[in-house]
Amino acid sequence: MSDDRRMLAETLRRYLSEQYGWDHRLRVAYQAPFHDPEKWAGMADLGLFHALVGEDRGGMGGSGFDIAVIFEEIGRALCPEPVLGAVMAARLLSATGTPLTALLSGETRYAVAIGELDAPYDLDGIACRADRTGDGWRLTGRKSVVYGGGVADRLLVAARANGQIALFDLAAAEADLHPYAMIDGGPAAEVLLEDTPATPILPAAQAALSDALDWGALALSAEALGAMEATSAALIDYLGTRKQFGQPIGTFQALQHRAVDLTIDIEQARSIVILAASAMGTPVQAKRVAQAKHLVGRVARKLAEEAIQMHGGIAMTWEYPVSHYAKRLVMIDHQLGDSDHHLGRLIETLQTA
């Protein structure tokens, strides 16, 4: 890791540790607006969003490793701020040449609306329709589980126009938004569009949307790494503390083997995330991201299940952090394509090679 990225990671970890304590996290993640606008502004003041894009777009980062470093810390702190939307929006707006000043300053929060009820992951299944009218374009359809949608200032919406997938920009206030918290905390929304005015910003957006989904999947994979490390640390601590028959349960060989297997799985997940981060912007980006999201999703689910079982009943309680990490790990697998979806992408890659 370079000195700049190490400094970024340490700064963000210190900020989240000092400003986003566990009690604060529980309070804001599940109560409207399901994040903390003040802490969002604080993260912007740190220059966090400038690390999402390269110098040519006004930032100071923008590589796969920059994204991975940021999201690993977000995952470690279980921070519910909707930074994922900023990552994907930065990629899409860069593809259109739109200035990023408002995004990088944190002044404007973006959410990217792609998934639908009958097409949660696949761009080809998008049914949201864009129609040209006398005074511009209007969108009709429904976007489902739009992460950050409930607190966004602007929405970037994928819709079908003239037989192809296009990208539209609209003020969030123009849409019929139904905000809610994800089951693991953090803001999301159902977005209902009914003859809603919007501005087309990219007529043929399939490639740009695929690219944004790749970067989002990398971010989520890195976030899972941070959450897995925190969960594993809590598990190891518990195994060394909880006693049965007068000795720590961590001395029992069966539990030792399970804990070691989980540690190996996490290291394998870390390796594939590093490989994916190194491939961003190259011809093998999509393949590496699919490999990472597939493996990380499987490991994350396994760790969540194992941690709950080895902790016993306390891991099911609201007060114990492991229960919240487990929920986040399971949810990450379902965001932007679950393990089965990305396995399907890999199979398609092999069939077309």
Side-chain angles (χ1 to χ4, degrees), residues 36 66 69 214:
D36 186 338
D66 294 313
V69 163
D214 282 344

Side-chain angles (χ1 to χ4, degrees), residues 14-55:
R14 185 166 53 250
Y15 177 82
L16 293 175
S17 173
E18 294 174 352
Q19 300 292 325
Y20 229 111
W22 186 249
D23 291 340
H24 183 75
R25 190 267 173 196
L26 288 185
R27 187 165 58 253
V28 301
Y30 297 97
Q31 295 179 10
F34 313 118
H35 83 122
D36 186 338
E38 183 179 331
K39 298 299 185 283
W40 172 272
M43 293 166 78
D45 290 340
L46 288 178
L48 176 71
F49 303 122
H50 285 77
L52 303 181
V53 299
E55 293 182 8

Side-chain angles (χ1 to χ4, degrees), residues 52-115:
L52 303 181
V53 299
E55 293 182 8
D56 59 329
R57 299 294 300 157
M60 57 180 185
S63 74
F65 289 112
D66 294 313
I67 303 301
V69 163
I70 292 170
F71 275 83
E72 186 171 346
E73 295 306 323
I74 287 175
R76 196 187 312 278
L78 216 57
C79 176
E81 298 301 322
V83 185
L84 180 66
V87 173
M88 298 175 67
R91 297 297 301 181
L92 290 170
L93 294 175
S94 294
T96 67
T98 304
L100 299 178
T101 308
L103 184 151
L104 298 183
S105 69
E107 177 184 350
T108 300
R109 286 184 295 257
Y110 282 89
V112 179
I114 299 176

Side-chain angles (χ1 to χ4, degrees), residues 33-34 111 146-153 155 172 177-180 187-191:
F34 313 118
V146 178
Y147 197 67
V151 296
D153 301 299
L155 299 174
L177 291 178
H178 295 261
Y180 52 84
E190 296 297 295
V191 179

Side-chain angles (χ1 to χ4, degrees), residues 79-350:
C79 176
E81 298 301 322
V83 185
L84 180 66
V87 173
M88 298 175 67
R91 297 297 301 181
L92 290 170
L93 294 175
S94 294
T96 67
T98 304
L100 299 178
T101 308
L103 184 151
L104 298 183
S105 69
E107 177 184 350
T108 300
R109 286 184 295 257
Y110 282 89
V112 179
I114 299 176
E116 301 178 1
L117 285 176
D118 294 327
Y121 308 136
D122 192 356
L123 293 176
D124 292 334
I126 287 177
C128 181
R129 193 180 75 246
D131 298 305
R132 182 152 200 160
T133 62
D135 56 347
W137 288 82
R138 293 179 177 269
L139 304 182
T140 300
R142 173 177 178 171
K143 293 296 180 181
S144 192
V145 198
V146 178
Y147 197 67
V151 296
D153 301 299
R154 302 203 69 81
L155 299 174
L156 300 180
V157 181
R160 195 169 291 279
N162 298 327
Q164 61 185 356
I165 304 299
L167 184 66
F168 292 81
D169 175 51
L170 67 149
E174 296 281 354
D176 183 9
L177 291 178
H178 295 261
Y180 52 84
M182 303 276 282
I183 193 170
D184 55 319
E190 296 297 295
V191 179
L192 305 184
L193 303 162
E194 184 63 45
D195 212 22
T196 305
T199 303
I201 58 174
L202 196 60
Q206 186 117 5
L209 287 165
S210 296
D211 175 74
L213 287 169
D214 282 344
W215 284 81
L218 171 70
L220 289 170
S221 298
E223 182 181 348
L225 266 186
M228 285 192 284
E229 291 211 338
T231 305
S232 178
L235 176 60
I236 298 300
D237 181 67
Y238 178 77
L239 294 178
T241 305
R242 175 79 164 88
K243 290 186 177 180
Q244 279 188 344
F245 310 113
Q247 56 185 326
I249 62 174
T251 60
F252 301 152
Q253 196 173 48
L255 293 180
Q256 287 179 350
H257 286 177
R258 290 166 67 178
V260 169
D261 286 345
L262 290 173
T263 301
I264 294 171
D265 288 340
I266 293 171
E267 287 307 308
Q268 289 179 330
R270 175 173 293 284
S271 296
I272 197 67
V273 171
I274 291 173
L275 184 63
S278 70
M280 301 310 287
T282 74
V284 294
Q285 167 182 309
K287 178 181 178 181
R288 296 297 183 226
V289 168
Q291 289 174 323
K293 192 68 166 57
H294 168 66
L295 178 61
V296 168
R298 289 196 299 118
V299 173
R301 282 205 316 271
K302 177 183 176 183
L303 176 61
E305 293 165 359
E306 285 282 77
I308 286 176
Q309 188 179 51
M310 284 194 274
H311 270 90
I314 66 168
M316 299 295 288
T317 62
W318 178 268
E319 294 78 10
Y320 199 63
V322 166
S323 65
H324 298 273
Y325 279 104
K327 283 195 289 187
R328 183 65 191 135
L329 288 171
V330 172
M331 280 304 301
I332 284 177
D333 180 39
H334 292 284
Q335 278 186 271
L336 305 185
D338 60 16
S339 294
D340 290 342
H341 172 76
H342 286 285
L343 180 60
R345 291 180 67 196
L346 290 172
I347 292 173
E348 289 177 5
T349 301
L350 292 173

